[in-house]
Amino acid sequence: MTHTRKNKGVCSRSTTVTIENGIIQNVQVDDGCDGNLKAVCSLLQGMPAQQAIERMQNLVCDNKKTSCPAQIAICIQEALQQQQ
């Protein structure tokens, strides 16, 4: 199942995740810190979705109230909720 979400409060514009059987298959983030986000997306492949949420959900960037990884966690959480 693939889910796309518009990001809020960060430099990146949107996140798209593909999850199958609770495992992250692919993550793509539009804009933002290109190299860092490519690394994060690569590291998430094959990870249990719930574990990824727990690791990233409360991360912040600089003086912002959120971060691109936190926005990815929200997108993953929404995707899991849609699957139920």
Side-chain angles (χ1 to χ4, degrees):
M1 187 250 180
T2 300
H3 176 70
T4 300
R5 177 183 190 277
K6 183 178 177 184
N7 294 337
K8 298 173 184 167
V10 294
C11 301
S12 60
R13 290 186 295 154
S14 66
T15 300
T16 301
V17 297
T18 303
I19 300 172
E20 293 179 14
N21 299 317
I23 304 297
I24 298 169
Q25 302 301 312
N26 188 43
V27 180
Q28 293 180 314
V29 181
D30 292 329
D31 291 335
C33 301
D34 190 50
N36 290 336
L37 288 171
K38 284 181 182 175
V40 169
C41 293
S42 177
L43 291 169
L44 290 172
Q45 288 182 3
M47 182 181 284
Q50 192 59 45
Q51 182 181 10
I53 293 167
E54 291 168 5
R55 289 183 178 201
M56 298 186 302
Q57 66 185 349
N58 294 316
L59 298 177
V60 296
C61 181
D62 292 329
N63 60 351
K64 299 173 184 169
K65 295 180 180 181
T66 188
S67 66
C68 290
Q71 294 295 300
I72 294 170
I74 293 168
C75 187
I76 293 168
Q77 192 167 31
E78 289 177 357
L80 290 176
Q81 288 172 348
Q82 285 185 354
Q83 286 182 341
Q84 293 178 358

